[in-house]
Amino acid sequence: MFVRTNTDPLPRPNSLHDFGMRSDSNPIICLNEFTYKKGTEVYGEKEPADYVYQIKSGAVRSYKLLSDGRRQIGAFHLAGDIFGLENGSEHRFTAEAIVDTTVRLIKRQSLELVAESDAMVARNLLSMTTINLQHAEDHMLLLGRKTSLERVAAFLLEMDKRLTASEVMALPMSRRDIADYLGLTLETVSRAISHLHDLGVLGFIGNTQRQIVLLDRQELASLDLQH
Amino acid sequence: MFVRTNTDPLPRPNSLHDFGMRSDSNPIICLNEFTYKKGTEVYGEKEPADYVYQIKSGAVRSYKLLSDGRRQIGAFHLAGDIFGLENGSEHRFTAEAIVDTTVRLIKRQSLELVAESDAMVARNLLSMTTINLQHAEDHMLLLGRKTSLERVAAFLLEMDKRLTASEVMALPMSRRDIADYLGLTLETVSRAISHLHDLGVLGFIGNTQRQIVLLDRQELASLDLQH
DNA sequence: CGGGGGCTTGAGGCCACTCAACGATAGTGG
DNA sequence: CCACTATCGTTGAGTGGCCTCAAGCCCCCG
């Protein structure tokens, strides 16, 4: 049986409470909500990192650009995810809303103050950074050594795991976003998905191509070579 | 002028003292030395992470394997570097000595105990994890979007920065190691280096091809596209 | 209905990979 | 000291996987 050992999650803080604090008992913590329209920037690379974000609904992409426009998306952030947490004072990615997205805001400064005295909060900050690190480590293997089909299969399995909405998987991101996440072109991604469709591994729902149902996770997992 | 902003280091713990503790004042901390022969394994992926290592002399590669043998090196560890620090209980890479390597050992458990009560130690643990994360983030951009020449140029600049021994850069790792770090084949790495040699950007010292002198860092930097 | 964005598909090209040969070096043992 | 071997690096020739360029379809939305 297939076991995805290296992505087994650590105990994962997935709400503000998991920082070890309650908003009502910590008036220092500023907890506002904000909504970003599709395509708008949440923050830019090298901007001061004053806030940490948790997605209430929607989806966000974090990316770096080369000077000639080549883009590498480092991560997608979905409902429940916390992002924008930096240790330095600046953001190291640009973050954009993929669709209309509502987030909760936490002032970074107040988080750091609490972490100073509360070991549990400090441990959770470390734990979240570690989760990001693990994801980046696995993604390096994908980008450096996997074929286009293996990358797309890995992507679909990752999204299947994280978008546990229902039977069908409603991808918020475009083929271009997927391509820039996987280090491919959008055409190559499209061809790989078509190929998987022909193999009977997945099917489409409706007349948009972003609603995907995985028909054979076993087969998909065998296409994404593991370590 | 060229500024490599995204790799500007955070305040970097580069000795055991930087954990915020002194070995003499903390008898809990076990501080042994050990030497690994060239090519031997320091630890394997998924082994329990009981120790943290600091390199006294030598060099180490950390890598993941796919089941068919494809290898992705995630990082090289050089003299002074600390590696093997995990948040979970298991190592996520295999670590091997590239050359004969002497390390200092720190018991992980004692580190965690101290971090529990000492906020400064905790902060330094987080800071080290963040440095690893930043490196992985930059490396994703390289693996996903850079050409072979850009990758090799970036690699030489990184090593130039970290192997500040002298005028000449004595690479401890083989072309195959470099290739597996950059997501290329060893032939492509060799061709890129030969090309840079022909351009007059670098020269060889002696009759081994691992002693390299960078003749034109400016030119090299312009070949490695920035963001 | 017209326009635009997103997706697919085809044709051709190119960059990196594969396969192979060769030279140089270091280590080994006679 | 000299074979002998294994390892490492370079270089060439040819292949192939992914990219580039292009056309066309579908759907959404004004």
Side-chain angles (χ1 to χ4, degrees):
Chain A
M1 182 197 158
F2 167 62
V3 183
R4 214 168 173 219
T5 330
N6 70 311
T7 54
D8 282 344
L10 294 182
R12 178 167 188 157
N14 57 10
S15 84
L16 293 180
H17 292 180
D18 294 320
F19 279 115
M21 60 186 64
R22 306 250 301 279
S23 55
D24 50 24
S25 67
N26 274 288
I28 308 162
I29 302 296
C30 169
L31 213 161
N32 295 327
E33 277 193 18
F34 198 83
T35 297
Y36 295 91
K37 283 242 163 289
K38 170 179 176 177
T40 58
E41 183 174 302
V42 179
Y43 53 77
E45 192 175 346
K46 293 172 191 168
E47 282 183 14
D50 296 330
Y51 294 96
V52 177
Y53 306 81
Q54 181 176 31
I55 298 185
K56 198 180 168 191
S57 70
V60 168
R61 58 183 168 243
S62 288
Y63 63 85
K64 287 177 184 289
L65 288 178
L66 292 177
S67 51
D68 64 355
R70 279 174 283 174
R71 184 177 68 160
Q72 178 63 44
I73 293 179
F76 292 116
H77 310 291
L78 308 176
D81 291 352
I82 292 168
F83 69 98
L85 178 63
E86 314 287 346
N87 199 21
S89 58
E90 293 182 351
H91 287 295
R92 294 189 305 270
F93 285 99
T94 300
E96 279 176 4
I98 297 176
V99 294
D100 292 358
T101 299
T102 301
V103 300
R104 294 193 208 37
L105 293 156
I106 310 116
K107 261 203 130 54
R108 175 173 171 265
Q109 206 182 1
S110 41
L111 206 57
E112 283 183 351
L113 280 173
V114 178
E116 203 64 28
S117 57
D118 187 336
M120 171 157 155
V121 175
R123 225 185 6 252
N124 284 328
L125 285 178
L126 178 56
S127 165
M128 286 183 35
T129 304
T130 299
I131 286 171
N132 291 335
L133 178 58
Q134 286 191 16
H135 182 269
E137 288 169 349
D138 292 336
H139 211 58
M140 284 194 290
L141 177 62
L142 179 147
L143 293 172
R145 286 300 177 221
K146 290 188 180 179
T147 67
S148 62
L149 193 60
E150 289 166 349
R151 294 180 201 207
V152 171
F155 169 77
L156 291 171
L157 288 169
E158 181 190 350
M159 287 302 132
D160 179 51
K161 199 166 158 186
R162 295 175 59 194
L163 290 167
T164 49
S166 67
E167 188 73 17
V168 314
M169 178 163 64
L171 297 177
M173 70 289 286
S174 68
R175 297 292 190 259
R176 168 162 292 284
D177 286 337
I178 300 172
D180 286 347
Y181 180 59
L182 299 178
L184 301 169
T185 60
L186 66 91
E187 292 95 333
T188 299
V189 170
S190 177
R191 276 184 249 269
I193 291 179
S194 295
H195 184 56
L196 292 173
H197 183 105
D198 295 346
L199 289 176
V201 174
L202 58 83
F204 293 114
I205 302 288
N207 33 23
T208 157
Q209 291 92 337
R210 292 199 193 176
Q211 311 244 79
I212 293 180
V213 47
L214 298 189
L215 302 171
D216 191 345
R217 287 180 181 75
Q218 199 79 19
E219 178 65 14
L220 204 55
S222 75
L223 291 175
D224 170 31
L225 227 54
Q226 297 300 307
H227 44 131
Chain B
M1 183 197 159
F2 167 62
V3 184
R4 211 167 175 221
T5 330
N6 71 312
T7 54
D8 282 346
L10 294 182
R12 178 165 190 158
N14 57 9
S15 85
L16 293 180
H17 292 180
D18 293 319
F19 280 115
M21 59 186 64
R22 306 251 302 277
S23 54
D24 49 25
S25 65
N26 275 287
I28 309 162
I29 302 296
C30 168
L31 212 162
N32 295 326
E33 277 193 17
F34 197 84
T35 297
Y36 295 91
K37 283 240 162 290
K38 170 180 176 174
T40 59
E41 183 173 301
V42 178
Y43 54 78
E45 194 175 346
K46 292 172 191 167
E47 283 183 13
D50 295 330
Y51 293 96
V52 177
Y53 305 81
Q54 180 176 31
I55 298 186
K56 199 180 166 192
S57 69
V60 169
R61 57 181 170 245
S62 287
Y63 64 84
K64 288 176 182 292
L65 288 178
L66 292 177
S67 51
D68 64 354
R70 281 174 282 174
R71 184 178 68 161
Q72 178 63 44
I73 294 180
F76 292 116
H77 310 291
L78 309 177
D81 291 352
I82 292 168
F83 68 98
L85 178 64
E86 314 287 346
N87 199 22
S89 59
E90 293 182 352
H91 287 294
R92 295 189 306 269
F93 286 99
T94 300
E96 279 176 4
I98 298 176
V99 295
D100 291 359
T101 299
T102 302
V103 300
R104 295 191 195 77
L105 292 157
I106 310 116
K107 261 202 133 52
R108 175 172 170 266
Q109 205 181 1
S110 41
L111 207 56
E112 283 182 352
L113 280 172
V114 178
E116 203 63 29
S117 57
D118 187 334
M120 170 155 157
V121 175
R123 228 187 0 254
N124 284 328
L125 285 178
L126 178 57
S127 165
M128 285 183 38
T129 304
T130 299
I131 285 169
N132 291 335
L133 177 57
Q134 286 191 15
H135 182 268
E137 289 169 348
D138 292 336
H139 212 57
M140 285 195 290
L141 177 63
L142 179 147
L143 292 172
R145 287 300 177 218
K146 289 188 179 178
T147 67
S148 62
L149 194 60
E150 290 166 349
R151 294 180 201 207
V152 171
F155 169 76
L156 291 172
L157 288 170
E158 181 191 350
M159 287 303 132
D160 179 50
K161 200 166 156 184
R162 295 175 59 195
L163 290 166
T164 48
S166 65
E167 189 72 18
V168 314
M169 178 162 66
L171 298 177
M173 70 289 285
S174 69
R175 297 292 190 260
R176 168 162 293 283
D177 287 337
I178 299 172
D180 286 347
Y181 179 60
L182 299 178
L184 300 169
T185 60
L186 65 92
E187 293 95 332
T188 299
V189 171
S190 179
R191 276 184 248 270
I193 291 179
S194 294
H195 184 56
L196 292 173
H197 183 105
D198 294 346
L199 289 177
V201 174
L202 58 83
F204 293 115
I205 301 288
N207 32 23
T208 159
Q209 290 89 340
R210 292 199 194 176
Q211 311 244 75
I212 293 180
V213 47
L214 299 190
L215 302 171
D216 192 343
R217 286 180 182 76
Q218 199 78 20
E219 178 65 13
L220 205 55
S222 75
L223 290 176
D224 170 31
L225 225 55
Q226 300 300 306
H227 44 130

